[in-house]
Amino acid sequence: ILLSGESPFQGKDDMETMSNVTAAELEFDDETFEEISDLAKDFLGKLLKKNMRSRLTADQALEHPWLQKSEEISAKTLSKEKIKKFLARQKWQKTGKALLALKRIAILTNKQENKVTSPELLHKDADHTSRPQDRK
């Protein structure tokens, strides 16, 4: 995210993103990562391996050619539009999660309200009436 403004695990929705993170399937989208050097992508790819034994150690990471480059590095600023899109997407995702939580709460509340708790209602006759005048 710090290099391009977007996550290499980004999916079309939360489920796909979570699946990508869980499987450690990253994709350096051409458009998003076009200005990121191949060495930087190689460095990230070697750090973000699912199998711990396949990842770079701290010492190996510090020795990676991308960190060892001695050439002049120009400071690049991230596209404000990409950052805005990322932050907007995060807000929408949080809003969606909040709505799902509210829906779950409403469902649970409704279930609790529909539970029979009155002793009078718990002892209904087989014809589902509780008072003699209600029975036919």
Side-chain angles (χ1 to χ4, degrees), residues 42-66:
D42 179 68
F43 178 68
L44 289 176
K46 289 179 177 177
L47 289 175
L48 299 174
K49 297 271 186 190
K50 184 172 183 171
N51 183 343
M52 282 179 39
R53 293 181 181 159
S54 299
R55 289 182 209 145
L56 293 179
T57 65
D59 288 333
Q60 290 170 329
L62 290 171
E63 294 299 320
H64 191 277
W66 185 59

PDB file of all heavy atoms in Angstrom, residues 42-66:
ATOM      1  N   ASP A  42       9.912  -7.806  -6.466  1.00  0.00           N
ATOM      2  CA  ASP A  42      10.596  -9.037  -6.080  1.00  0.00           C
ATOM      3  C   ASP A  42      10.781  -9.093  -4.560  1.00  0.00           C
ATOM      4  O   ASP A  42      10.536 -10.119  -3.927  1.00  0.00           O
ATOM      5  CB  ASP A  42      11.956  -9.134  -6.787  1.00  0.00           C
ATOM      6  CG  ASP A  42      12.720 -10.382  -6.394  1.00  0.00           C
ATOM      7  OD1 ASP A  42      12.272 -11.491  -6.762  1.00  0.00           O
ATOM      8  OD2 ASP A  42      13.753 -10.252  -5.711  1.00  0.00           O
ATOM      9  N   PHE A  43      11.205  -7.973  -3.982  1.00  0.00           N
ATOM     10  CA  PHE A  43      11.412  -7.870  -2.535  1.00  0.00           C
ATOM     11  C   PHE A  43      10.106  -8.177  -1.789  1.00  0.00           C
ATOM     12  O   PHE A  43      10.081  -9.010  -0.879  1.00  0.00           O
ATOM     13  CB  PHE A  43      11.928  -6.472  -2.199  1.00  0.00           C
ATOM     14  CG  PHE A  43      12.145  -6.226  -0.736  1.00  0.00           C
ATOM     15  CD1 PHE A  43      13.140  -6.885  -0.029  1.00  0.00           C
ATOM     16  CD2 PHE A  43      11.355  -5.312  -0.051  1.00  0.00           C
ATOM     17  CE1 PHE A  43      13.358  -6.645   1.322  1.00  0.00           C
ATOM     18  CE2 PHE A  43      11.568  -5.063   1.300  1.00  0.00           C
ATOM     19  CZ  PHE A  43      12.562  -5.739   1.984  1.00  0.00           C
ATOM     20  N   LEU A  44       9.029  -7.514  -2.191  1.00  0.00           N
ATOM     21  CA  LEU A  44       7.736  -7.743  -1.541  1.00  0.00           C
ATOM     22  C   LEU A  44       7.268  -9.182  -1.714  1.00  0.00           C
ATOM     23  O   LEU A  44       6.775  -9.806  -0.763  1.00  0.00           O
ATOM     24  CB  LEU A  44       6.675  -6.790  -2.105  1.00  0.00           C
ATOM     25  CG  LEU A  44       6.831  -5.331  -1.724  1.00  0.00           C
ATOM     26  CD1 LEU A  44       5.790  -4.486  -2.432  1.00  0.00           C
ATOM     27  CD2 LEU A  44       6.749  -5.148  -0.230  1.00  0.00           C
ATOM     28  N   GLY A  45       7.412  -9.699  -2.919  1.00  0.00           N
ATOM     29  CA  GLY A  45       6.988 -11.074  -3.183  1.00  0.00           C
ATOM     30  C   GLY A  45       7.717 -12.084  -2.306  1.00  0.00           C
ATOM     31  O   GLY A  45       7.128 -13.068  -1.843  1.00  0.00           O
ATOM     32  N   LYS A  46       9.003 -11.828  -2.064  1.00  0.00           N
ATOM     33  CA  LYS A  46       9.793 -12.749  -1.227  1.00  0.00           C
ATOM     34  C   LYS A  46       9.484 -12.598   0.258  1.00  0.00           C
ATOM     35  O   LYS A  46       9.689 -13.525   1.030  1.00  0.00           O
ATOM     36  CB  LYS A  46      11.283 -12.543  -1.491  1.00  0.00           C
ATOM     37  CG  LYS A  46      11.684 -13.067  -2.857  1.00  0.00           C
ATOM     38  CD  LYS A  46      13.147 -12.856  -3.146  1.00  0.00           C
ATOM     39  CE  LYS A  46      13.503 -13.480  -4.500  1.00  0.00           C
ATOM     40  NZ  LYS A  46      14.890 -13.240  -4.868  1.00  0.00           N
ATOM     41  N   LEU A  47       8.971 -11.435   0.652  1.00  0.00           N
ATOM     42  CA  LEU A  47       8.585 -11.235   2.050  1.00  0.00           C
ATOM     43  C   LEU A  47       7.180 -11.762   2.347  1.00  0.00           C
ATOM     44  O   LEU A  47       6.894 -12.170   3.466  1.00  0.00           O
ATOM     45  CB  LEU A  47       8.622  -9.742   2.413  1.00  0.00           C
ATOM     46  CG  LEU A  47       9.986  -9.096   2.531  1.00  0.00           C
ATOM     47  CD1 LEU A  47       9.827  -7.597   2.786  1.00  0.00           C
ATOM     48  CD2 LEU A  47      10.812  -9.741   3.640  1.00  0.00           C
ATOM     49  N   LEU A  48       6.328 -11.744   1.346  1.00  0.00           N
ATOM     50  CA  LEU A  48       4.920 -12.095   1.554  1.00  0.00           C
ATOM     51  C   LEU A  48       4.605 -13.532   1.153  1.00  0.00           C
ATOM     52  O   LEU A  48       3.539 -13.815   0.613  1.00  0.00           O
ATOM     53  CB  LEU A  48       4.025 -11.109   0.787  1.00  0.00           C
ATOM     54  CG  LEU A  48       4.150  -9.653   1.222  1.00  0.00           C
ATOM     55  CD1 LEU A  48       3.344  -8.745   0.305  1.00  0.00           C
ATOM     56  CD2 LEU A  48       3.728  -9.478   2.670  1.00  0.00           C
ATOM     57  N   LYS A  49       5.508 -14.435   1.403  1.00  0.00           N
ATOM     58  CA  LYS A  49       5.306 -15.864   1.118  1.00  0.00           C
ATOM     59  C   LYS A  49       4.463 -16.472   2.230  1.00  0.00           C
ATOM     60  O   LYS A  49       4.621 -16.132   3.401  1.00  0.00           O
ATOM     61  CB  LYS A  49       6.641 -16.604   1.056  1.00  0.00           C
ATOM     62  CG  LYS A  49       7.561 -16.150  -0.035  1.00  0.00           C
ATOM     63  CD  LYS A  49       7.291 -16.911  -1.267  1.00  0.00           C
ATOM     64  CE  LYS A  49       8.324 -16.568  -2.340  1.00  0.00           C
ATOM     65  NZ  LYS A  49       7.972 -17.094  -3.592  1.00  0.00           N
ATOM     66  N   LYS A  50       3.582 -17.390   1.863  1.00  0.00           N
ATOM     67  CA  LYS A  50       2.743 -18.054   2.860  1.00  0.00           C
ATOM     68  C   LYS A  50       3.585 -18.955   3.768  1.00  0.00           C
ATOM     69  O   LYS A  50       3.433 -18.940   4.985  1.00  0.00           O
ATOM     70  CB  LYS A  50       1.659 -18.875   2.165  1.00  0.00           C
ATOM     71  CG  LYS A  50       0.693 -19.517   3.129  1.00  0.00           C
ATOM     72  CD  LYS A  50      -0.464 -20.160   2.425  1.00  0.00           C
ATOM     73  CE  LYS A  50      -1.439 -20.716   3.449  1.00  0.00           C
ATOM     74  NZ  LYS A  50      -2.671 -21.154   2.847  1.00  0.00           N
ATOM     75  N   ASN A  51       4.477 -19.711   3.172  1.00  0.00           N
ATOM     76  CA  ASN A  51       5.332 -20.616   3.934  1.00  0.00           C
ATOM     77  C   ASN A  51       6.463 -19.806   4.564  1.00  0.00           C
ATOM     78  O   ASN A  51       7.296 -19.233   3.872  1.00  0.00           O
ATOM     79  CB  ASN A  51       5.896 -21.702   3.011  1.00  0.00           C
ATOM     80  CG  ASN A  51       6.747 -22.717   3.741  1.00  0.00           C
ATOM     81  OD1 ASN A  51       7.198 -22.497   4.851  1.00  0.00           O
ATOM     82  ND2 ASN A  51       6.964 -23.846   3.099  1.00  0.00           N
ATOM     83  N   MET A  52       6.491 -19.793   5.888  1.00  0.00           N
ATOM     84  CA  MET A  52       7.502 -19.009   6.607  1.00  0.00           C
ATOM     85  C   MET A  52       8.922 -19.366   6.185  1.00  0.00           C
ATOM     86  O   MET A  52       9.784 -18.504   6.112  1.00  0.00           O
ATOM     87  CB  MET A  52       7.381 -19.240   8.118  1.00  0.00           C
ATOM     88  CG  MET A  52       6.260 -18.499   8.768  1.00  0.00           C
ATOM     89  SD  MET A  52       6.123 -18.822  10.546  1.00  0.00           S
ATOM     90  CE  MET A  52       7.793 -18.891  11.108  1.00  0.00           C
ATOM     91  N   ARG A  53       9.150 -20.629   5.913  1.00  0.00           N
ATOM     92  CA  ARG A  53      10.506 -21.073   5.563  1.00  0.00           C
ATOM     93  C   ARG A  53      10.937 -20.566   4.191  1.00  0.00           C
ATOM     94  O   ARG A  53      12.125 -20.546   3.885  1.00  0.00           O
ATOM     95  CB  ARG A  53      10.587 -22.592   5.632  1.00  0.00           C
ATOM     96  CG  ARG A  53      10.419 -23.074   7.058  1.00  0.00           C
ATOM     97  CD  ARG A  53      10.514 -24.547   7.178  1.00  0.00           C
ATOM     98  NE  ARG A  53      10.324 -24.908   8.586  1.00  0.00           N
ATOM     99  CZ  ARG A  53       9.959 -26.077   8.995  1.00  0.00           C
ATOM    100  NH1 ARG A  53       9.739 -27.050   8.132  1.00  0.00           N
ATOM    101  NH2 ARG A  53       9.802 -26.314  10.273  1.00  0.00           N
ATOM    102  N   SER A  54       9.965 -20.190   3.370  1.00  0.00           N
ATOM    103  CA  SER A  54      10.280 -19.665   2.036  1.00  0.00           C
ATOM    104  C   SER A  54      10.529 -18.158   2.055  1.00  0.00           C
ATOM    105  O   SER A  54      11.052 -17.608   1.091  1.00  0.00           O
ATOM    106  CB  SER A  54       9.118 -19.954   1.079  1.00  0.00           C
ATOM    107  OG  SER A  54       8.911 -21.335   0.960  1.00  0.00           O
ATOM    108  N   ARG A  55      10.109 -17.494   3.130  1.00  0.00           N
ATOM    109  CA  ARG A  55      10.275 -16.045   3.229  1.00  0.00           C
ATOM    110  C   ARG A  55      11.735 -15.670   3.477  1.00  0.00           C
ATOM    111  O   ARG A  55      12.501 -16.446   4.011  1.00  0.00           O
ATOM    112  CB  ARG A  55       9.459 -15.490   4.401  1.00  0.00           C
ATOM    113  CG  ARG A  55       8.001 -15.511   4.195  1.00  0.00           C
ATOM    114  CD  ARG A  55       7.292 -14.897   5.396  1.00  0.00           C
ATOM    115  NE  ARG A  55       5.992 -15.525   5.510  1.00  0.00           N
ATOM    116  CZ  ARG A  55       5.378 -15.786   6.651  1.00  0.00           C
ATOM    117  NH1 ARG A  55       5.933 -15.465   7.801  1.00  0.00           N
ATOM    118  NH2 ARG A  55       4.205 -16.360   6.659  1.00  0.00           N
ATOM    119  N   LEU A  56      12.030 -14.441   3.116  1.00  0.00           N
ATOM    120  CA  LEU A  56      13.352 -13.915   3.445  1.00  0.00           C
ATOM    121  C   LEU A  56      13.466 -13.747   4.958  1.00  0.00           C
ATOM    122  O   LEU A  56      12.514 -13.349   5.615  1.00  0.00           O
ATOM    123  CB  LEU A  56      13.554 -12.544   2.794  1.00  0.00           C
ATOM    124  CG  LEU A  56      13.637 -12.451   1.278  1.00  0.00           C
ATOM    125  CD1 LEU A  56      13.810 -10.999   0.854  1.00  0.00           C
ATOM    126  CD2 LEU A  56      14.765 -13.303   0.736  1.00  0.00           C
ATOM    127  N   THR A  57      14.635 -14.046   5.485  1.00  0.00           N
ATOM    128  CA  THR A  57      14.905 -13.738   6.885  1.00  0.00           C
ATOM    129  C   THR A  57      15.186 -12.241   6.965  1.00  0.00           C
ATOM    130  O   THR A  57      15.360 -11.570   5.937  1.00  0.00           O
ATOM    131  CB  THR A  57      16.132 -14.514   7.404  1.00  0.00           C
ATOM    132  OG1 THR A  57      17.282 -14.054   6.683  1.00  0.00           O
ATOM    133  CG2 THR A  57      15.958 -16.023   7.240  1.00  0.00           C
ATOM    134  N   ALA A  58      15.291 -11.712   8.163  1.00  0.00           N
ATOM    135  CA  ALA A  58      15.595 -10.289   8.325  1.00  0.00           C
ATOM    136  C   ALA A  58      16.944  -9.955   7.694  1.00  0.00           C
ATOM    137  O   ALA A  58      17.080  -8.937   6.988  1.00  0.00           O
ATOM    138  CB  ALA A  58      15.574  -9.915   9.797  1.00  0.00           C
ATOM    139  N   ASP A  59      17.925 -10.812   7.931  1.00  0.00           N
ATOM    140  CA  ASP A  59      19.252 -10.567   7.350  1.00  0.00           C
ATOM    141  C   ASP A  59      19.211 -10.617   5.823  1.00  0.00           C
ATOM    142  O   ASP A  59      19.822  -9.784   5.147  1.00  0.00           O
ATOM    143  CB  ASP A  59      20.270 -11.591   7.876  1.00  0.00           C
ATOM    144  CG  ASP A  59      20.627 -11.350   9.334  1.00  0.00           C
ATOM    145  OD1 ASP A  59      20.544 -10.186   9.795  1.00  0.00           O
ATOM    146  OD2 ASP A  59      20.992 -12.325  10.015  1.00  0.00           O
ATOM    147  N   GLN A  60      18.476 -11.604   5.277  1.00  0.00           N
ATOM    148  CA  GLN A  60      18.367 -11.709   3.814  1.00  0.00           C
ATOM    149  C   GLN A  60      17.635 -10.491   3.247  1.00  0.00           C
ATOM    150  O   GLN A  60      18.006  -9.981   2.182  1.00  0.00           O
ATOM    151  CB  GLN A  60      17.616 -12.987   3.429  1.00  0.00           C
ATOM    152  CG  GLN A  60      18.384 -14.259   3.688  1.00  0.00           C
ATOM    153  CD  GLN A  60      17.500 -15.502   3.522  1.00  0.00           C
ATOM    154  OE1 GLN A  60      16.294 -15.463   3.768  1.00  0.00           O
ATOM    155  NE2 GLN A  60      18.122 -16.599   3.103  1.00  0.00           N
ATOM    156  N   ALA A  61      16.611 -10.044   3.958  1.00  0.00           N
ATOM    157  CA  ALA A  61      15.856  -8.881   3.494  1.00  0.00           C
ATOM    158  C   ALA A  61      16.752  -7.648   3.446  1.00  0.00           C
ATOM    159  O   ALA A  61      16.718  -6.876   2.472  1.00  0.00           O
ATOM    160  CB  ALA A  61      14.653  -8.632   4.402  1.00  0.00           C
ATOM    161  N   LEU A  62      17.554  -7.474   4.464  1.00  0.00           N
ATOM    162  CA  LEU A  62      18.463  -6.316   4.483  1.00  0.00           C
ATOM    163  C   LEU A  62      19.509  -6.379   3.387  1.00  0.00           C
ATOM    164  O   LEU A  62      20.025  -5.345   2.947  1.00  0.00           O
ATOM    165  CB  LEU A  62      19.136  -6.207   5.856  1.00  0.00           C
ATOM    166  CG  LEU A  62      18.218  -5.801   7.006  1.00  0.00           C
ATOM    167  CD1 LEU A  62      18.939  -5.934   8.347  1.00  0.00           C
ATOM    168  CD2 LEU A  62      17.697  -4.383   6.805  1.00  0.00           C
ATOM    169  N   GLU A  63      19.804  -7.586   2.904  1.00  0.00           N
ATOM    170  CA  GLU A  63      20.788  -7.762   1.834  1.00  0.00           C
ATOM    171  C   GLU A  63      20.151  -7.756   0.443  1.00  0.00           C
ATOM    172  O   GLU A  63      20.847  -7.845  -0.563  1.00  0.00           O
ATOM    173  CB  GLU A  63      21.551  -9.084   2.036  1.00  0.00           C
ATOM    174  CG  GLU A  63      22.419  -9.105   3.287  1.00  0.00           C
ATOM    175  CD  GLU A  63      23.504  -8.030   3.271  1.00  0.00           C
ATOM    176  OE1 GLU A  63      24.110  -7.796   2.206  1.00  0.00           O
ATOM    177  OE2 GLU A  63      23.717  -7.424   4.337  1.00  0.00           O
ATOM    178  N   HIS A  64      18.830  -7.652   0.375  1.00  0.00           N
ATOM    179  CA  HIS A  64      18.156  -7.675  -0.923  1.00  0.00           C
ATOM    180  C   HIS A  64      18.638  -6.505  -1.786  1.00  0.00           C
ATOM    181  O   HIS A  64      18.835  -5.389  -1.290  1.00  0.00           O
ATOM    182  CB  HIS A  64      16.637  -7.606  -0.736  1.00  0.00           C
ATOM    183  CG  HIS A  64      15.884  -7.879  -1.998  1.00  0.00           C
ATOM    184  ND1 HIS A  64      15.647  -6.897  -2.941  1.00  0.00           N
ATOM    185  CD2 HIS A  64      15.345  -9.022  -2.490  1.00  0.00           C
ATOM    186  CE1 HIS A  64      14.975  -7.421  -3.947  1.00  0.00           C
ATOM    187  NE2 HIS A  64      14.785  -8.714  -3.702  1.00  0.00           N
ATOM    188  N   PRO A  65      18.832  -6.761  -3.079  1.00  0.00           N
ATOM    189  CA  PRO A  65      19.325  -5.710  -3.984  1.00  0.00           C
ATOM    190  C   PRO A  65      18.496  -4.425  -3.975  1.00  0.00           C
ATOM    191  O   PRO A  65      19.041  -3.335  -4.145  1.00  0.00           O
ATOM    192  CB  PRO A  65      19.277  -6.370  -5.370  1.00  0.00           C
ATOM    193  CG  PRO A  65      19.331  -7.832  -5.105  1.00  0.00           C
ATOM    194  CD  PRO A  65      18.677  -8.041  -3.757  1.00  0.00           C
ATOM    195  N   TRP A  66      17.188  -4.534  -3.738  1.00  0.00           N
ATOM    196  CA  TRP A  66      16.353  -3.327  -3.734  1.00  0.00           C
ATOM    197  C   TRP A  66      16.750  -2.395  -2.589  1.00  0.00           C
ATOM    198  O   TRP A  66      16.753  -1.176  -2.747  1.00  0.00           O
ATOM    199  CB  TRP A  66      14.875  -3.706  -3.631  1.00  0.00           C
ATOM    200  CG  TRP A  66      13.955  -2.528  -3.750  1.00  0.00           C
ATOM    201  CD1 TRP A  66      13.860  -1.660  -4.799  1.00  0.00           C
ATOM    202  CD2 TRP A  66      13.018  -2.081  -2.775  1.00  0.00           C
ATOM    203  NE1 TRP A  66      12.904  -0.702  -4.540  1.00  0.00           N
ATOM    204  CE2 TRP A  66      12.369  -0.946  -3.303  1.00  0.00           C
ATOM    205  CE3 TRP A  66      12.637  -2.535  -1.525  1.00  0.00           C
ATOM    206  CZ2 TRP A  66      11.374  -0.252  -2.623  1.00  0.00           C
ATOM    207  CZ3 TRP A  66      11.640  -1.852  -0.840  1.00  0.00           C
ATOM    208  CH2 TRP A  66      11.022  -0.722  -1.383  1.00  0.00           C
TER     209      TRP A  66
END
